[in-house]
């Protein structure tokens, strides 16, 4: 074991290295690029034995990844944001191929408007693809999640791609102390790639992803994928337990922080959950019984663990760093559906949208959210979802709008979102 | 180069390794090409397929292939070929695969994919010098979806989306030229109706490595509008009128394998096909027919002058 100060991106590269990946099809995108550059450097320095190939798009990158995994090599790849959506057709496809591989997504907001900064709309667009999802909150988790993800992905009853998500900037470019398992320990936890009888090789004809006619066969294969994803709940618990036994770090599918005796719970995923923890500590100091519930695994959705964490609470606030226009927060819908019909379900589940495109969620906002929940519990009425935005932000926005109109008198109109921004954002 | 194993028609395989009874239409020129190509490549081949008519060759639980098959998507079959090839190479290097377990990687797509949605993936595979054969069966339209205009639809042809005003207004994209401009190892045009020429070219392609294009004109009875029994004849007319040049690109040079002499007038090829009927009825459209003829004449003049 070594201790090092690593960014989330370096941690992801280390995870791939410790997993002894054979193959890396790649395509650059900020804020992910550092991962593939780091691995490329290690290959060049003979630190890693891996074949890396630059593809011409994420759609092709994911196709190559799935095809290589179908041919029996341990495959790793990484993308972000626009890239994840560009490859969306293939996310569903490789899940249907039932191949084990790990894909890193470094979360970043989606265009339009184009931005480099983080939120979770990209990864949640892949929610229903059949790929499993682990959501990291720290750089340590990134390394560990990759090892756990391969264990999970290569289980014969699972054999589905796993996406390990980390937030752009707040994790990808942030240095944290990380404990790196040594090679032998990692190899002990994650043995050599588990070959499958259906892999492509000469003298052994195999057909993959052939067409089906009729709903009977189609439904059968789709149900199989679903059942495999559900089987990943137990398989995950096994993989996490063994990880804990070997490395001493615990990764329950749903992390609960000071939540056991809490009356009110925040629900969040990703690195901003560490801000929520800080808020929980401060609110506890002030005498409030509050906790945090953070799903580490979002697909499959660990429903039983989520229920266990949330049933019996008097109120919940789900803080979504994503926005489904016309609906609201995606996580909020997941949480409420898990609780529906449960005895002792919380009477009120409030919805907050915040942290879009790199916007911070400050501690005062957590305090306000907690106060809202207490008020809602007391009154029995659930307020409408709130879009977090401060007066200062609005003032700044008004200034920018004024400046945009001034510039617009030059060469063309500039509006708030759809039009060309006056200063180019580059990606 | 070694002497060809295919000297005369009698040297061609007498039975086929591709199973019979597929869902393809009677007289499908694309299926004919796949069958003949497969005979020469043999069963240690993996076809990496993009969406198109041939996708319906393998419908669960049946496949006519004795070897392997991977259906990808419409846009990225060459990338699928990349993943398979790379993984095979990694495993050969690691020693987890024996040499006799290697596979020939063949990307199989239609013209719509090859000239359009999949061209970026193809072009990049050539840049990377991927060791694969790209077999494009060119039925000159999006056949699987009902023969809409693709980038390979020839000038003047009617399709499901160019029905009214005299057919496809633009020109057929030159896929062979796009490939050869990027200096692949090999490129060749073939036709199921010319099996000896086809077998020799596949034999050559098989002996090489790197990116290799096999572009097969694929007469398509429902898409082009002719009786299935005339499929071979239509294909041969495409060659004899000079519309479809049989050629090879090897060692950086294009060689025309057969210079049709004398060339039949293009209308001999156009007339029997319903997609060109509007050029002849209700009135003969001499202008359009003349344009098509002029383009063919110009091509062969360049060949004679050594420029093509
Ligand atoms: C991304 C995507 N867009 C559209 C389709 C629908 N589609 C399936 S086959 C096909 C036509 C393919 O044309 P071509 O490559 O010429 O093959 P052919 O059908 O003629 O055999 C189309 C448009 C698809 N499967 N995927
Ligand atoms: S539509 Fe044309 S290309 Fe497609 S199967 Fe029928 S004959 Fe072959
Ligand atoms: Mg076609």
């Amino acid at each position: 074991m070594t201790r090092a100060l690593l960014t989330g991106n370096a941690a992801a590269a280390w995870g791939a290295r410790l997993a002894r990946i054979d193959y890396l099809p790649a395509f650059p995108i900020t804020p992910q690029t550092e991962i593939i550059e780091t691995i490329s450097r290690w290959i060049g320095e003979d630190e890693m034995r891996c074949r890396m190939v630059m593809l011409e798009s994420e759609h092709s990158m994911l196709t190559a990844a799935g095809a290589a995994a179908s041919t029996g090599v341990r495959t790793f790849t990484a993308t972000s944001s626009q890239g994840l959506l560009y490859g969306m057709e293939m996310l569903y496809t490789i899940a249907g191929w039932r191949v084990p591989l790990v894909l890193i997504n470094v979360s970043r907001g989606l265009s339009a408007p184009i931005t480099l900064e983080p939120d979770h709309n990209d990864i949640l667009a892949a929610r229903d693809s059949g790929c499993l999802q682990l959501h990291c909150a720290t750089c340590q988790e990134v390394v560990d999640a990759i090892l756990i993800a391969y264990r999970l992905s290569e289980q014969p009853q699972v054999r589905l791609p796993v996406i390990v998500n980390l937030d752009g900037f707040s994790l990808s470019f942030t240095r944290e102390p990380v404990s790196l398992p040594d090679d032998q320990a990692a190899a002990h936890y994650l043995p050599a790639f588990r070959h499958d009888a259906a892999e492509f090789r000469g003298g052994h004809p195999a057909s993959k992803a052939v067409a089906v006619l009729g709903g009977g066969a189609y439904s059968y294969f789709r149900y199989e994928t679903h059942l495999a994803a559900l089987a990943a709940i137990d398989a995950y618990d096994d993989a996490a337990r063994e990880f804990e036994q070997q490395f001493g770090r615990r990764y329950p599918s749903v992390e609960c922080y000071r939540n056991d005796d809490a009356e009110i719970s925040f629900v969040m995923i990703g690195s901003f959950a560490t801000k929520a923890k800080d808020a929980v500590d401060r609110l506890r100091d002030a005498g409030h019984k509050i906790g945090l519930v953070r799903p580490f695994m979002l697909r499959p959705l660990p429903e039983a663990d989520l229920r266990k964490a949330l049933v019996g609470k008097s109120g919940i606030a789900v803080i979504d760093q994503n926005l489904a226009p016309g609906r609201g927060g995606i996580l909020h819908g997941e949480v409420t559906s898990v609780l529906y019909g449960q005895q002792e379900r919380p009477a009120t589940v409030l919805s907050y949208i915040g942290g879009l495109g790199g916007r911070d969620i400050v501690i005062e906002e957590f305090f306000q959210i907690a106060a809202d929940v207490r008020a809602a519990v007391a009154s029995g009425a659930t307020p409408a979802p709130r879009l977090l935005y401060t007066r200062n932000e609005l003032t700044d926005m008004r200034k920018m709008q004024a400046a945009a109109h001034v510039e617009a008198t030059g060469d063309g109109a500039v509006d708030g979102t759809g039009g060309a921004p006056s200063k180019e954002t580059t990606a | 180069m070694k002497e060809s194993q295919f000297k005369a028609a009698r040297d061609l395989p007498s039975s086929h390794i591709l199973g019979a009874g597929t869902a393809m239409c009677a007289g499908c020129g694309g299926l004919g090409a796949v069958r003949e190509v497969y005979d020469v490549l043999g069963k240690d081949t993996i076809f990496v397929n993009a969406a198109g008519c041939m996708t319906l060759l393998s419908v669960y639980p049946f496949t006519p292939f004795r070897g392997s098959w991977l259906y990808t998507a419409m846009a990225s079959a060459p990338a699928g070929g990349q993943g398979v090839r790379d993984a095979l190479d990694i495993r050969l290097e690691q020693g987890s695969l024996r040499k006799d377990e290697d596979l020939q990687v063949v990307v199989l797509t239609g013209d719509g994919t090859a000239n359009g949605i999949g061209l970026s993936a193809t072009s990049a595979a050539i840049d990377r010098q991927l060791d694969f054969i790209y077999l494009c069966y060119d039925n000159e339209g999006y056949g699987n979806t009902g023969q809409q205009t693709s980038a390979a639809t020839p000038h003047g042809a009617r399709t499901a989306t160019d029905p009214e005003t005299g057919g496809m207004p633009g020109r057929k994209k030159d896929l062979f030229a796009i490939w050869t401009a990027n200096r692949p190892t090999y490129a060749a045009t073939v036709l199921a109706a010319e099996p000896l020429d086809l077998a020799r070219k596949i034999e050559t392609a098989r002996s090489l490595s790197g990116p290799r294009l096999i572009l097969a004109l694929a007469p398509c009875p429902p898409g082009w509008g002719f009786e299935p029994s005339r499929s071979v004849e239509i294909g041969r007319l495409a060659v004899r009128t000079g519309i479809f040049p049989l050629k090879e690109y090897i060692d950086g040079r294009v060689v025309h394998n057969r210079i049709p002499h004398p060339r039949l007038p293009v209308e001999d090829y156009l007339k029997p096909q319903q997609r060109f009927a509007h050029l002849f009825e209700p009135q003969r459209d001499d202008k359009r027919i003349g344009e098509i003829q002029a383009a063919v004449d110009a091509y062969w003049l360049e060949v004679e002058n050594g420029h093509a």
Side-chain angles (χ1 to χ4, degrees):
Chain A
M1 192 205 73
T2 2
R3 288 192 72 79
L5 261 187
L6 296 179
T7 62
N9 280 345
W14 267 107
R17 176 168 165 170
L18 291 168
R20 305 177 315 289
I21 60 165
D22 296 309
Y23 188 49
L24 166 60
F27 192 80
I29 183 167
T30 305
Q32 168 281 121
T33 312
E34 196 188 350
I35 300 174
I36 60 172
E37 286 182 349
T38 304
I39 294 176
S40 165
R41 198 180 67 240
W42 285 339
I43 294 171
E45 292 165 352
D46 256 350
E47 298 279 349
M48 261 179 94
R49 274 191 72 186
C50 166
R51 181 178 290 227
M52 174 171 167
V53 177
M54 291 302 291
L55 274 294
E56 77 294 342
S57 74
E58 292 83 356
H59 189 280
S60 280
M61 178 186 92
L62 290 171
T63 309
S70 306
T71 315
V73 296
R74 187 171 281 158
T75 303
F76 178 81
T77 185
T79 190
S80 173
S81 182
Q82 306 303 125
L84 191 72
L85 267 74
Y86 195 81
M88 187 61 71
E89 179 185 27
M90 298 319 293
L91 283 183
Y92 279 70
T93 301
I94 60 178
W97 289 0
R98 300 293 308 281
V99 284
L101 59 90
V102 172
L103 164 67
I104 298 290
N105 183 65
V106 185
S107 263
R108 162 181 153 189
L110 292 170
S111 182
I114 185 87
T115 180
L116 297 177
E117 294 181 69
D119 67 38
H120 294 151
N121 260 110
D122 58 354
I123 183 66
L124 291 175
R127 186 190 62 172
D128 301 335
S129 64
C131 299
L132 310 183
Q133 294 194 3
L134 303 179
H135 288 257
C136 302
T138 65
C139 296
Q140 181 69 61
E141 284 184 15
V142 174
V143 179
D144 297 347
I146 291 170
L147 294 173
I148 294 172
Y150 274 111
R151 272 286 295 263
L152 183 60
S153 184
E154 291 173 12
Q155 289 301 314
Q157 75 274 31
V158 177
R159 287 188 71 84
L160 286 168
V162 180
I163 308 178
V164 172
N165 197 69
L166 60 130
D167 293 319
F169 291 80
S170 50
L171 275 193
S172 70
F173 299 148
T174 304
R175 262 172 220 283
E176 292 178 351
V178 173
S179 156
L180 288 173
D182 59 36
D183 292 344
Q184 276 142 320
H188 183 259
Y189 177 72
L190 178 67
F193 183 80
R194 198 195 285 244
H195 289 287
D196 174 76
E199 278 161 10
F200 297 125
R201 62 192 153 94
H204 178 83
S207 301
K208 195 158 211 137
V210 299
V212 293
L213 297 179
Y218 183 79
S219 303
Y220 183 87
F221 288 117
R222 291 289 290 163
Y223 291 166
E224 265 206 327
T225 301
H226 175 55
L227 295 173
L230 290 180
I233 293 179
D234 284 346
Y236 175 83
D237 288 343
D238 291 343
R241 189 181 326 107
E242 284 180 42
F243 191 90
E244 184 186 358
Q245 280 162 5
Q246 201 182 325
F247 299 104
R249 290 187 292 276
R250 234 186 116 232
Y251 293 106
S253 63
V254 177
E255 186 200 15
C256 295
Y257 180 72
R258 303 184 80 168
N259 189 61
D260 288 354
D261 67 338
E263 286 161 5
I264 288 174
S265 304
F266 293 140
V267 179
M268 283 192 89
I269 53 172
S271 63
F272 274 26
T274 52
K275 293 171 185 283
K277 278 186 187 174
D278 186 29
V280 165
D281 288 342
R282 307 265 294 268
L283 286 160
R284 285 262 175 189
D285 290 346
H288 298 290
K289 285 192 157 181
I290 190 156
L292 166 74
V293 171
R294 176 178 71 100
F296 179 65
M297 182 163 73
L298 204 63
R299 280 295 179 271
L301 189 65
E303 295 198 358
D305 289 347
L306 257 181
R307 283 193 191 114
K308 217 167 111 208
L310 296 173
V311 161
K313 304 297 174 208
S314 51
I316 292 171
V318 182
I319 304 163
D320 271 285
Q321 279 172 269
N322 65 78
L323 179 59
R327 167 60 180 86
I330 294 169
L331 210 53
H332 180 260
E334 300 263 308
V335 169
T336 47
S337 75
V338 160
L339 294 174
Y340 188 81
Q342 301 296 306
Q343 284 178 352
E344 285 192 77
R345 68 172 181 272
T348 177
V349 183
L350 273 62
S351 172
Y352 291 83
I353 309 292
L356 300 188
R359 183 198 182 272
D360 201 3
I361 302 179
V362 297
I363 195 144
E364 291 77 15
E365 287 174 314
F366 285 103
F367 297 161
Q368 180 62 49
I369 292 168
D372 287 355
V373 179
R374 284 194 302 274
V377 170
S379 72
T382 302
R386 287 187 74 172
L387 310 176
L388 299 180
Y389 210 62
T390 60
R391 199 173 304 280
N392 283 348
E393 283 172 306
L394 191 61
T395 308
D396 288 347
M397 190 64 214
R398 293 288 180 244
K399 281 185 202 153
M400 285 196 277
Q401 284 174 319
H405 286 297
V406 172
E407 290 204 8
T409 56
D411 54 0
V414 176
D415 65 26
T417 53
S422 47
K423 297 268 186 310
E424 276 279 304
T425 324
T426 49
Chain B
M1 195 177 296
K2 271 198 339 211
E3 210 177 294
S4 174
Q5 141 195 14
F6 304 109
K7 294 191 197 67
R10 62 166 190 281
D11 301 324
L12 294 172
S14 53
S15 63
H16 298 298
I17 61 171
L18 189 79
T22 69
M24 300 304 106
C25 312
C28 174
L31 179 64
V34 171
R35 184 186 292 129
E36 293 172 22
V37 167
Y38 200 28
D39 281 336
V40 180
L41 292 180
K43 61 182 172 41
D44 281 338
T45 299
I46 176 166
F47 285 93
V48 183
N49 176 238
C53 285
M54 299 300 149
T55 301
L56 294 178
L57 282 174
S58 292
V59 177
Y60 193 81
F62 301 112
T63 176
F65 295 99
R66 306 272 173 91
S68 290
W69 172 269
L70 174 64
Y71 171 70
T72 54
M74 195 167 173
S76 57
Q82 180 83 44
V84 172
R85 183 66 262 159
D86 286 338
L88 289 168
D89 288 342
I90 291 167
R91 296 194 60 183
L92 287 165
E93 218 174 277
Q94 289 174 344
S96 73
L97 215 61
R98 298 187 313 267
K99 187 76 198 111
D100 64 314
E101 290 177 313
D102 197 5
L103 290 166
Q104 177 79 252
V105 176
V106 178
V107 165
L108 173 66
T109 87
D111 54 285
T113 284
N115 290 278
I117 193 170
L119 186 53
S120 163
T122 306
S123 162
I126 302 171
D127 302 342
R128 293 186 299 260
Q129 291 292 296
L130 176 63
D131 183 15
F132 79 127
I133 293 175
Y134 193 126
L135 173 56
C136 170
Y137 58 98
D138 184 1
N139 61 3
E140 305 192 316
Y142 295 119
N144 182 250
T145 41
Q147 198 69 7
Q148 297 81 16
T149 295
S150 81
T153 301
H155 181 67
R158 277 188 175 180
T159 67
T161 48
D162 268 324
E164 300 298 336
T165 51
M168 159 45 153
R171 268 192 276 157
K172 182 181 173 79
K173 203 196 293 291
D174 190 346
L175 187 65
F176 188 86
I178 290 174
W179 266 75
T180 56
N182 289 286
R183 293 177 318 248
T185 321
Y186 184 69
T189 61
V190 301
L191 188 68
E194 297 287 351
L196 190 60
D197 174 74
L198 181 147
R200 284 181 184 151
K201 287 171 173 168
I202 304 305
E203 186 186 35
T204 305
R206 190 185 58 186
S207 72
L208 301 168
S209 59
R212 293 153 284 166
L213 170 70
I214 303 296
L215 178 56
L217 185 69
C220 169
W224 297 7
F226 62 82
E227 285 301 309
S229 58
R230 299 188 73 180
S231 191
V232 168
E233 179 197 347
I234 298 280
R236 289 194 176 143
L237 282 168
V239 175
R240 295 179 63 197
T241 54
I243 281 189
F244 185 67
L246 288 174
K247 57 186 171 183
E248 267 176 307
Y249 169 94
I250 188 163
D251 298 330
R253 282 184 51 235
V254 176
V255 181
H256 285 78
N257 311 94
R258 194 169 319 162
I259 299 184
H261 197 73
R263 277 199 309 280
L264 298 178
V266 292
E267 61 178 278
D268 288 9
Y269 170 72
L270 304 176
K271 233 180 194 163
Q273 302 181 49
Q274 196 56 37
R275 61 178 175 157
F276 295 113
H278 60 104
L279 298 179
F280 300 94
E281 279 162 30
Q283 283 136 5
R284 204 182 143 85
D285 187 344
D286 280 318
K287 185 168 166 286
R288 303 291 292 289
I289 299 169
E291 281 167 16
I292 296 168
Q293 184 68 60
V296 171
D297 292 346
Y299 178 89
W300 289 102
L301 188 65
E302 280 200 35
V303 171
E304 279 158 31
N305 293 336
H307 296 315

